[in-house]
Amino acid sequence: MSRSLKKGPYVDERLFAKVVKIGKSSSRDPIKTWSRDCTIIPEFVGVTFMVHNGKQFFKLYVTEDMVGHKLGEFSPTRVFRGHSGGKASKAAPASSAK
């Protein structure tokens, strides 16, 4: 379920303060954050974040197309290793033997 329109987007105040601070300085260091539920706002465009996925940090450079999405959408938490382990590799050579 989405957030109520009258409330507006959720933006972590501490994270927003860091973006403002980095905007005033010439530093382009990435901002480390655990706030995956924070909505990307236009002020975040051009800033690099390090978003935590529960195990490691993913580097995320915010572009204009990302505005309105959440930071966590760009930091995957699960690793897809494929379907059916060894069955897929055994079936492939048999079908090419025609």
Side-chain angles (χ1 to χ4, degrees):
M1 183 180 294
S2 63
R3 186 171 163 93
S4 170
L5 289 176
K6 75 175 180 183
K7 290 183 184 179
Y10 169 73
V11 179
D12 189 12
E13 293 175 9
R14 293 176 66 194
L15 188 60
F16 183 67
K18 289 179 184 180
V19 170
V20 170
K21 182 179 176 184
I22 220 171
K24 291 180 182 177
S25 67
S26 61
S27 174
R28 287 292 162 195
D29 295 332
I31 300 172
K32 252 187 183 181
T33 183
W34 285 261
S35 183
R36 299 170 50 85
D37 58 345
C38 180
T39 304
I40 298 172
I41 56 175
E43 287 81 2
F44 289 1
V45 173
V47 178
T48 304
F49 292 97
M50 297 289 287
V51 184
H52 197 255
N53 76 341
K55 183 177 180 182
Q56 59 189 2
F57 288 92
F58 278 89
K59 192 174 258 187
L60 172 68
Y61 179 77
V62 178
T63 61
E64 205 172 304
D65 296 332
M66 297 178 182
V67 174
H69 292 271
K70 306 281 186 174
L71 287 173
E73 292 181 46
F74 304 101
S75 177
T77 57
R78 294 182 173 97
V79 178
F80 178 71
R81 301 204 190 276
H83 294 292
S84 70
K87 292 180 185 177
S89 61
K90 290 180 185 176
S95 64
S96 63
K98 289 183 179 181

